[in-house]
Amino acid sequence: MDGLSLYIHSPFCRKRCAYCSFVSYAGRESDIPAYTEALKTEIALRRIPGAEIKTLYFGGGTPSLIPANNLLDILTTIKEYYTLPEGAEITLEANPGTVDPEYFKALRASGVNRLSLGVQSLDDAELALLGRMHSSDAALEAIDQAKKAGFDNISADFIYGIPGRTPGIWEAMLRKIVELGVQHISLYGLTLEEDTPMFERVKRGEIAAPNQDATASEYETAEEILADYGYRQYEISNWSLPGFESRHNLACWERMPYIGLGVAAHSFVDSRRIANTSDLDEYLGCLKAGGLPTQTVEIIDGPGALSEALFLGLRLNRGVAAGDIQSQFGIDLYSRFSGEINELVSLGLLESNGAIIKLTPRGRLLGNEVFIRFLS
Ligand code: SF4
């Protein structure tokens, strides 16, 4: 198989952020050596003989809590079972509060060539509200250290829609980050998830809930500022300088095959979506006994695959080409979805030139309203 992507999930975090609903474990760092061994076993069990890896992504959780020697061990095992060519994109998500110059140098030496830094904000009061473990200075320092260690493909994640933020604060932090020369920026709207400390604080009336108008306005401000600095938006939440799009994430949105390894990781191979257990102890126990940690397997074909191709494709700024849908599914997009397309165009959420449909700027703000129309 050509062009496989690998995703490795690291579920460890030093502390839980106030808004977090991801699968992550605080206070379990002593399990990292056992987790490394479990990952090595899973790499071997899920191998696809002869496959070449196009992109490799360490996500989390906080992958930068994994010591460099453990990462090297994982990479060495991957190379035992797969071809990992020189030009493969190898990304690691890093939390600014967990890194130092030596760590960055060790990452570069091991072959990691792209960093995704969880900056989230450059305002200390906001970082405290989010329950992040780093300060604004630590984030700026991490970018500087990464550049000095030789990273020339750095992404910074930010959160928009933080209660209490003024337009001036947001604009200033966007300008600051682009002037530091990061090549890629991801922006995620703050969502209030039940059972998080932030949700409870909002419920008790201690802090305001994210305001929809302010959230939309911050998104529009970001679109303008990033375009001014030469960043191109290529997906609802992602902007990059030309040539620095995340190849890994593009492969997922294009429904290319990927294997996910680790707690709560998902794979997509041969129309099957495989989900691993989200329970760290179950994961470790399964792999120790030599078994796969699979929790569910779902076949994604027919109408389900078509819906997925449409809503993932519409996330991309280039949109969905009717020709691609015809060749993949044997379906005429404009006949099959004429009602939906006409309605969404008249609402100003979708634009169409007769060959391609794509979200309008307003459609990007209200993406879920569009995607739901294409669900099977
Ligand atoms: S670092 Fe990320 S995964 Fe970990 S607790 Fe914070 S938001 Fe959740």
Side-chain angles (χ1 to χ4, degrees):
M1 179 188 290
D2 280 345
L4 181 70
S5 289
L6 279 193
Y7 172 81
I8 298 196
H9 190 76
S10 164
F12 305 99
C13 287
R14 203 149 277 168
K15 70 188 264 278
R16 297 271 298 161
C17 299
Y19 57 96
C20 181
S21 62
F22 303 127
V23 176
S24 71
Y25 291 82
R28 296 285 303 261
E29 284 171 60
S30 57
D31 285 308
I32 290 178
Y35 192 72
T36 302
E37 290 309 310
L39 279 173
K40 287 162 62 181
T41 306
E42 196 185 3
I43 291 166
L45 290 174
R46 292 208 191 273
R47 70 187 177 275
I48 298 182
E52 182 173 294
I53 295 182
K54 201 166 67 169
T55 69
L56 168 59
Y57 194 103
F58 291 90
T62 308
S64 52
L65 283 179
I66 301 182
N69 62 319
N70 292 109
L71 278 172
L72 195 56
D73 210 6
I74 295 165
L75 281 161
T76 305
T77 307
I78 289 171
K79 287 178 193 163
E80 273 171 36
Y81 292 100
Y82 292 100
T83 307
L84 186 61
E86 226 9 64
E89 178 189 271
I90 306 180
T91 304
L92 182 127
E93 287 180 359
N95 186 328
T98 62
V99 287
D100 60 30
E102 274 58 52
Y103 189 71
F104 282 135
K105 277 184 212 146
L107 287 184
R108 255 335 258 126
S110 68
V112 175
N113 50 28
R114 183 172 183 275
L115 273 184
S116 174
L117 283 169
V119 177
Q120 316 309 359
S121 169
L122 288 177
D123 180 276
D124 285 340
E126 288 186 356
L127 289 166
L129 181 75
L130 295 171
R132 299 291 300 186
M133 56 175 286
H134 67 274
S135 64
S136 153
D137 281 351
L140 299 176
E141 213 176 321
I143 292 171
D144 186 52
Q145 291 169 354
K147 280 160 65 174
K148 286 186 176 138
F151 281 98
D152 54 10
N153 191 351
I154 301 174
S155 178
D157 283 6
F158 276 82
I159 293 178
Y160 60 94
I162 297 176
R165 177 184 274 170
T166 62
I169 290 181
W170 177 232
E171 203 177 314
M173 73 176 76
L174 284 172
R175 291 192 191 282
K176 176 110 188 164
I177 201 77
V178 293
E179 279 160 14
L180 283 175
V182 298
Q183 289 77 14
H184 187 281
I185 295 192
S186 299
L187 304 179
Y188 301 105
L190 180 64
T191 51
L192 209 50
E193 304 288 346
E194 282 192 34
D195 296 329
T196 59
M198 185 171 269
F199 181 84
E200 295 304 323
R201 288 193 69 191
V202 170
K203 219 166 74 177
R204 290 196 298 268
E206 290 171 16
I207 52 172
N211 172 293
Q212 279 191 352
D213 290 341
T215 300
S217 148
E218 282 181 32
Y219 187 84
E220 285 165 349
T221 301
E223 285 182 317
E224 281 164 28
I225 292 180
L226 295 177
D228 282 351
Y229 282 86
Y231 290 77
R232 286 199 309 225
Q233 184 175 17
Y234 66 99
E235 195 266 348
I236 284 187
S237 305
N238 289 284
W239 286 254
S240 79
L241 295 176
F244 288 94
E245 296 84 1
S246 161
R247 281 154 48 194
H248 182 86
N249 288 339
L250 276 172
C252 298
W253 293 314
E254 289 165 351
R255 301 184 76 245
M256 303 302 282
Y258 56 85
I259 291 184
L261 305 159
V263 167
H266 287 210
S267 304
F268 179 61
V269 180
D270 294 335
S271 301
R272 287 182 317 148
R273 175 126 22 240
I274 301 163
N276 278 357
T277 175
S278 303
D279 185 294
L280 177 56
D281 292 317
E282 190 182 343
Y283 178 83
L284 293 173
C286 240
L287 270 308
K288 197 166 181 193
L292 278 170
T294 303
Q295 190 169 53
T296 57
V297 179
E298 191 187 355
I299 309 285
I300 313 276
D301 58 5
L306 173 63
S307 292
E308 202 176 86
L310 289 170
F311 71 73
L312 288 177
L314 282 171
R315 293 188 64 89
L316 299 169
N317 281 43
R318 66 170 182 249
V320 174
D324 289 344
I325 296 299
Q326 181 71 51
S327 62
Q328 283 177 49
F329 301 99
I331 282 171
D332 180 345
L333 176 70
Y334 283 94
S335 308
R336 169 71 181 78
F337 293 102
S338 62
E340 290 86 347
I341 292 172
N342 289 336
E343 187 197 356
L344 291 164
V345 169
S346 70
L347 290 170
L349 300 176
L350 202 64
E351 61 184 66
S352 163
N353 64 5
I356 290 173
I357 55 169
K358 57 184 175 184
L359 296 179
T360 60
R362 187 171 133 76
R364 284 197 284 277
L365 277 171
L366 300 169
N368 288 339
E369 302 285 316
V370 177
F371 305 148
I372 205 162
R373 306 292 218 288
F374 294 103
L375 287 180
S376 60

mmCIF file with all atom_site columns, all heavy atoms in Angstrom, residues 289-307:
data_model
loop_
_atom_site.group_PDB
_atom_site.id
_atom_site.type_symbol
_atom_site.label_atom_id
_atom_site.label_alt_id
_atom_site.label_comp_id
_atom_site.label_asym_id
_atom_site.label_entity_id
_atom_site.label_seq_id
_atom_site.pdbx_PDB_ins_code
_atom_site.Cartn_x
_atom_site.Cartn_y
_atom_site.Cartn_z
_atom_site.occupancy
_atom_site.B_iso_or_equiv
_atom_site.pdbx_formal_charge
_atom_site.auth_seq_id
_atom_site.auth_comp_id
_atom_site.auth_asym_id
_atom_site.auth_atom_id
_atom_site.pdbx_PDB_model_num
ATOM 1   N N   . ALA A 1 289 ? -0.749  -8.783  26.915 1.00 0.00 ? 289 ALA A N   1
ATOM 2   C CA  . ALA A 1 289 ? -1.144  -10.175 26.657 1.00 0.00 ? 289 ALA A CA  1
ATOM 3   C C   . ALA A 1 289 ? -1.032  -10.522 25.165 1.00 0.00 ? 289 ALA A C   1
ATOM 4   O O   . ALA A 1 289 ? -1.409  -11.621 24.744 1.00 0.00 ? 289 ALA A O   1
ATOM 5   C CB  . ALA A 1 289 ? -2.587  -10.378 27.129 1.00 0.00 ? 289 ALA A CB  1
ATOM 6   N N   . GLY A 1 290 ? -0.557  -9.558  24.370 1.00 0.00 ? 290 GLY A N   1
ATOM 7   C CA  . GLY A 1 290 ? -0.347  -9.828  22.939 1.00 0.00 ? 290 GLY A CA  1
ATOM 8   C C   . GLY A 1 290 ? -1.594  -9.668  22.089 1.00 0.00 ? 290 GLY A C   1
ATOM 9   O O   . GLY A 1 290 ? -1.613  -10.079 20.930 1.00 0.00 ? 290 GLY A O   1
ATOM 10  N N   . GLY A 1 291 ? -2.648  -9.051  22.646 1.00 0.00 ? 291 GLY A N   1
ATOM 11  C CA  . GLY A 1 291 ? -3.891  -8.881  21.875 1.00 0.00 ? 291 GLY A CA  1
ATOM 12  C C   . GLY A 1 291 ? -4.056  -7.461  21.377 1.00 0.00 ? 291 GLY A C   1
ATOM 13  O O   . GLY A 1 291 ? -3.400  -6.536  21.859 1.00 0.00 ? 291 GLY A O   1
ATOM 14  N N   . LEU A 1 292 ? -4.956  -7.311  20.406 1.00 0.00 ? 292 LEU A N   1
ATOM 15  C CA  . LEU A 1 292 ? -5.230  -5.964  19.892 1.00 0.00 ? 292 LEU A CA  1
ATOM 16  C C   . LEU A 1 292 ? -6.218  -5.240  20.799 1.00 0.00 ? 292 LEU A C   1
ATOM 17  O O   . LEU A 1 292 ? -7.160  -5.854  21.311 1.00 0.00 ? 292 LEU A O   1
ATOM 18  C CB  . LEU A 1 292 ? -5.819  -6.062  18.474 1.00 0.00 ? 292 LEU A CB  1
ATOM 19  C CG  . LEU A 1 292 ? -4.816  -6.230  17.336 1.00 0.00 ? 292 LEU A CG  1
ATOM 20  C CD1 . LEU A 1 292 ? -5.532  -6.560  16.036 1.00 0.00 ? 292 LEU A CD1 1
ATOM 21  C CD2 . LEU A 1 292 ? -3.969  -4.974  17.175 1.00 0.00 ? 292 LEU A CD2 1
ATOM 22  N N   . PRO A 1 293 ? -6.059  -3.935  20.986 1.00 0.00 ? 293 PRO A N   1
ATOM 23  C CA  . PRO A 1 293 ? -6.937  -3.176  21.894 1.00 0.00 ? 293 PRO A CA  1
ATOM 24  C C   . PRO A 1 293 ? -8.195  -2.630  21.196 1.00 0.00 ? 293 PRO A C   1
ATOM 25  O O   . PRO A 1 293 ? -8.709  -1.588  21.568 1.00 0.00 ? 293 PRO A O   1
ATOM 26  C CB  . PRO A 1 293 ? -6.028  -2.039  22.348 1.00 0.00 ? 293 PRO A CB  1
ATOM 27  C CG  . PRO A 1 293 ? -5.143  -1.794  21.165 1.00 0.00 ? 293 PRO A CG  1
ATOM 28  C CD  . PRO A 1 293 ? -4.958  -3.103  20.468 1.00 0.00 ? 293 PRO A CD  1
ATOM 29  N N   . THR A 1 294 ? -8.672  -3.325  20.156 1.00 0.00 ? 294 THR A N   1
ATOM 30  C CA  . THR A 1 294 ? -9.813  -2.844  19.372 1.00 0.00 ? 294 THR A CA  1
ATOM 31  C C   . THR A 1 294 ? -11.083 -2.810  20.216 1.00 0.00 ? 294 THR A C   1
ATOM 32  O O   . THR A 1 294 ? -11.410 -3.782  20.896 1.00 0.00 ? 294 THR A O   1
ATOM 33  C CB  . THR A 1 294 ? -10.046 -3.773  18.163 1.00 0.00 ? 294 THR A CB  1
ATOM 34  O OG1 . THR A 1 294 ? -8.846  -3.823  17.405 1.00 0.00 ? 294 THR A OG1 1
ATOM 35  C CG2 . THR A 1 294 ? -11.194 -3.279  17.288 1.00 0.00 ? 294 THR A CG2 1
ATOM 36  N N   . GLN A 1 295 ? -11.813 -1.697  20.125 1.00 0.00 ? 295 GLN A N   1
ATOM 37  C CA  . GLN A 1 295 ? -13.090 -1.619  20.826 1.00 0.00 ? 295 GLN A CA  1
ATOM 38  C C   . GLN A 1 295 ? -14.249 -1.761  19.850 1.00 0.00 ? 295 GLN A C   1
ATOM 39  O O   . GLN A 1 295 ? -15.188 -2.504  20.111 1.00 0.00 ? 295 GLN A O   1
ATOM 40  C CB  . GLN A 1 295 ? -13.195 -0.272  21.543 1.00 0.00 ? 295 GLN A CB  1
ATOM 41  C CG  . GLN A 1 295 ? -14.373 -0.211  22.491 1.00 0.00 ? 295 GLN A CG  1
ATOM 42  C CD  . GLN A 1 295 ? -14.291 1.021   23.367 1.00 0.00 ? 295 GLN A CD  1
ATOM 43  O OE1 . GLN A 1 295 ? -14.162 2.134   22.869 1.00 0.00 ? 295 GLN A OE1 1
ATOM 44  N NE2 . GLN A 1 295 ? -14.325 0.820   24.661 1.00 0.00 ? 295 GLN A NE2 1
ATOM 45  N N   . THR A 1 296 ? -14.187 -1.053  18.714 1.00 0.00 ? 296 THR A N   1
ATOM 46  C CA  . THR A 1 296 ? -15.261 -1.172  17.721 1.00 0.00 ? 296 THR A CA  1
ATOM 47  C C   . THR A 1 296 ? -14.670 -1.189  16.311 1.00 0.00 ? 296 THR A C   1
ATOM 48  O O   . THR A 1 296 ? -13.603 -0.634  16.066 1.00 0.00 ? 296 THR A O   1
ATOM 49  C CB  . THR A 1 296 ? -16.242 0.029   17.785 1.00 0.00 ? 296 THR A CB  1
ATOM 50  O OG1 . THR A 1 296 ? -15.494 1.224   17.596 1.00 0.00 ? 296 THR A OG1 1
ATOM 51  C CG2 . THR A 1 296 ? -16.985 0.103   19.094 1.00 0.00 ? 296 THR A CG2 1
ATOM 52  N N   . VAL A 1 297 ? -15.422 -1.850  15.419 1.00 0.00 ? 297 VAL A N   1
ATOM 53  C CA  . VAL A 1 297 ? -15.064 -1.830  13.991 1.00 0.00 ? 297 VAL A CA  1
ATOM 54  C C   . VAL A 1 297 ? -16.334 -1.473  13.237 1.00 0.00 ? 297 VAL A C   1
ATOM 55  O O   . VAL A 1 297 ? -17.380 -2.076  13.455 1.00 0.00 ? 297 VAL A O   1
ATOM 56  C CB  . VAL A 1 297 ? -14.560 -3.223  13.508 1.00 0.00 ? 297 VAL A CB  1
ATOM 57  C CG1 . VAL A 1 297 ? -14.233 -3.171  12.017 1.00 0.00 ? 297 VAL A CG1 1
ATOM 58  C CG2 . VAL A 1 297 ? -13.357 -3.674  14.303 1.00 0.00 ? 297 VAL A CG2 1
ATOM 59  N N   . GLU A 1 298 ? -16.234 -0.465  12.379 1.00 0.00 ? 298 GLU A N   1
ATOM 60  C CA  . GLU A 1 298 ? -17.407 -0.019  11.640 1.00 0.00 ? 298 GLU A CA  1
ATOM 61  C C   . GLU A 1 298 ? -17.056 -0.032  10.154 1.00 0.00 ? 298 GLU A C   1
ATOM 62  O O   . GLU A 1 298 ? -15.984 0.448   9.766  1.00 0.00 ? 298 GLU A O   1
ATOM 63  C CB  . GLU A 1 298 ? -17.720 1.420   12.091 1.00 0.00 ? 298 GLU A CB  1
ATOM 64  C CG  . GLU A 1 298 ? -19.034 1.968   11.639 1.00 0.00 ? 298 GLU A CG  1
ATOM 65  C CD  . GLU A 1 298 ? -19.163 3.471   11.991 1.00 0.00 ? 298 GLU A CD  1
ATOM 66  O OE1 . GLU A 1 298 ? -18.262 4.020   12.668 1.00 0.00 ? 298 GLU A OE1 1
ATOM 67  O OE2 . GLU A 1 298 ? -20.133 4.070   11.570 1.00 0.00 ? 298 GLU A OE2 1
ATOM 68  N N   . ILE A 1 299 ? -17.943 -0.602  9.354  1.00 0.00 ? 299 ILE A N   1
ATOM 69  C CA  . ILE A 1 299 ? -17.706 -0.568  7.898  1.00 0.00 ? 299 ILE A CA  1
ATOM 70  C C   . ILE A 1 299 ? -18.316 0.728   7.365  1.00 0.00 ? 299 ILE A C   1
ATOM 71  O O   . ILE A 1 299 ? -19.495 1.004   7.589  1.00 0.00 ? 299 ILE A O   1
ATOM 72  C CB  . ILE A 1 299 ? -18.386 -1.765  7.183  1.00 0.00 ? 299 ILE A CB  1
ATOM 73  C CG1 . ILE A 1 299 ? -18.014 -3.095  7.849  1.00 0.00 ? 299 ILE A CG1 1
ATOM 74  C CG2 . ILE A 1 299 ? -18.060 -1.758  5.690  1.00 0.00 ? 299 ILE A CG2 1
ATOM 75  C CD1 . ILE A 1 299 ? -16.645 -3.597  7.573  1.00 0.00 ? 299 ILE A CD1 1
ATOM 76  N N   . ILE A 1 300 ? -17.495 1.517   6.685  1.00 0.00 ? 300 ILE A N   1
ATOM 77  C CA  . ILE A 1 300 ? -18.001 2.782   6.127  1.00 0.00 ? 300 ILE A CA  1
ATOM 78  C C   . ILE A 1 300 ? -18.061 2.600   4.611  1.00 0.00 ? 300 ILE A C   1
ATOM 79  O O   . ILE A 1 300 ? -17.030 2.678   3.922  1.00 0.00 ? 300 ILE A O   1
ATOM 80  C CB  . ILE A 1 300 ? -17.062 3.967   6.439  1.00 0.00 ? 300 ILE A CB  1
ATOM 81  C CG1 . ILE A 1 300 ? -16.641 3.982   7.896  1.00 0.00 ? 300 ILE A CG1 1
ATOM 82  C CG2 . ILE A 1 300 ? -17.695 5.287   6.000  1.00 0.00 ? 300 ILE A CG2 1
ATOM 83  C CD1 . ILE A 1 300 ? -17.571 4.629   8.851  1.00 0.00 ? 300 ILE A CD1 1
ATOM 84  N N   . ASP A 1 301 ? -19.236 2.282   4.095  1.00 0.00 ? 301 ASP A N   1
ATOM 85  C CA  . ASP A 1 301 ? -19.353 2.168   2.637  1.00 0.00 ? 301 ASP A CA  1
ATOM 86  C C   . ASP A 1 301 ? -20.699 2.731   2.192  1.00 0.00 ? 301 ASP A C   1
ATOM 87  O O   . ASP A 1 301 ? -21.485 3.208   3.015  1.00 0.00 ? 301 ASP A O   1
ATOM 88  C CB  . ASP A 1 301 ? -19.160 0.710   2.167  1.00 0.00 ? 301 ASP A CB  1
ATOM 89  C CG  . ASP A 1 301 ? -20.166 -0.227  2.809  1.00 0.00 ? 301 ASP A CG  1
ATOM 90  O OD1 . ASP A 1 301 ? -21.059 0.253   3.532  1.00 0.00 ? 301 ASP A OD1 1
ATOM 91  O OD2 . ASP A 1 301 ? -20.065 -1.444  2.600  1.00 0.00 ? 301 ASP A OD2 1
ATOM 92  N N   . GLY A 1 302 ? -20.978 2.681   0.898  1.00 0.00 ? 302 GLY A N   1
ATOM 93  C CA  . GLY A 1 302 ? -22.252 3.150   0.356  1.00 0.00 ? 302 GLY A CA  1
ATOM 94  C C   . GLY A 1 302 ? -22.559 4.578   0.768  1.00 0.00 ? 302 GLY A C   1
ATOM 95  O O   . GLY A 1 302 ? -21.693 5.455   0.731  1.00 0.00 ? 302 GLY A O   1
ATOM 96  N N   . PRO A 1 303 ? -23.811 4.834   1.223  1.00 0.00 ? 303 PRO A N   1
ATOM 97  C CA  . PRO A 1 303 ? -24.213 6.201   1.559  1.00 0.00 ? 303 PRO A CA  1
ATOM 98  C C   . PRO A 1 303 ? -23.344 6.809   2.668  1.00 0.00 ? 303 PRO A C   1
ATOM 99  O O   . PRO A 1 303 ? -23.081 8.014   2.672  1.00 0.00 ? 303 PRO A O   1
ATOM 100 C CB  . PRO A 1 303 ? -25.659 6.047   2.052  1.00 0.00 ? 303 PRO A CB  1
ATOM 101 C CG  . PRO A 1 303 ? -26.122 4.745   1.535  1.00 0.00 ? 303 PRO A CG  1
ATOM 102 C CD  . PRO A 1 303 ? -24.907 3.870   1.384  1.00 0.00 ? 303 PRO A CD  1
ATOM 103 N N   . GLY A 1 304 ? -22.906 5.993   3.622  1.00 0.00 ? 304 GLY A N   1
ATOM 104 C CA  . GLY A 1 304 ? -22.077 6.503   4.723  1.00 0.00 ? 304 GLY A CA  1
ATOM 105 C C   . GLY A 1 304 ? -20.758 7.057   4.193  1.00 0.00 ? 304 GLY A C   1
ATOM 106 O O   . GLY A 1 304 ? -20.301 8.121   4.630  1.00 0.00 ? 304 GLY A O   1
ATOM 107 N N   . ALA A 1 305 ? -20.162 6.339   3.246  1.00 0.00 ? 305 ALA A N   1
ATOM 108 C CA  . ALA A 1 305 ? -18.878 6.782   2.680  1.00 0.00 ? 305 ALA A CA  1
ATOM 109 C C   . ALA A 1 305 ? -19.083 8.064   1.866  1.00 0.00 ? 305 ALA A C   1
ATOM 110 O O   . ALA A 1 305 ? -18.255 8.980   1.904  1.00 0.00 ? 305 ALA A O   1
ATOM 111 C CB  . ALA A 1 305 ? -18.292 5.684   1.799  1.00 0.00 ? 305 ALA A CB  1
ATOM 112 N N   . LEU A 1 306 ? -20.207 8.136   1.141  1.00 0.00 ? 306 LEU A N   1
ATOM 113 C CA  . LEU A 1 306 ? -20.498 9.330   0.341  1.00 0.00 ? 306 LEU A CA  1
ATOM 114 C C   . LEU A 1 306 ? -20.664 10.557  1.253  1.00 0.00 ? 306 LEU A C   1
ATOM 115 O O   . LEU A 1 306 ? -20.080 11.616  1.007  1.00 0.00 ? 306 LEU A O   1
ATOM 116 C CB  . LEU A 1 306 ? -21.766 9.099   -0.487 1.00 0.00 ? 306 LEU A CB  1
ATOM 117 C CG  . LEU A 1 306 ? -22.300 10.302  -1.264 1.00 0.00 ? 306 LEU A CG  1
ATOM 118 C CD1 . LEU A 1 306 ? -21.291 10.768  -2.310 1.00 0.00 ? 306 LEU A CD1 1
ATOM 119 C CD2 . LEU A 1 306 ? -23.629 9.956   -1.948 1.00 0.00 ? 306 LEU A CD2 1
ATOM 120 N N   . SER A 1 307 ? -21.452 10.385  2.332  1.00 0.00 ? 307 SER A N   1
ATOM 121 C CA  . SER A 1 307 ? -21.649 11.507  3.276  1.00 0.00 ? 307 SER A CA  1
ATOM 122 C C   . SER A 1 307 ? -20.315 11.967  3.836  1.00 0.00 ? 307 SER A C   1
ATOM 123 O O   . SER A 1 307 ? -20.042 13.164  3.935  1.00 0.00 ? 307 SER A O   1
ATOM 124 C CB  . SER A 1 307 ? -22.496 11.067  4.470  1.00 0.00 ? 307 SER A CB  1
ATOM 125 O OG  . SER A 1 307 ? -23.780 10.810  4.074  1.00 0.00 ? 307 SER A OG  1
#
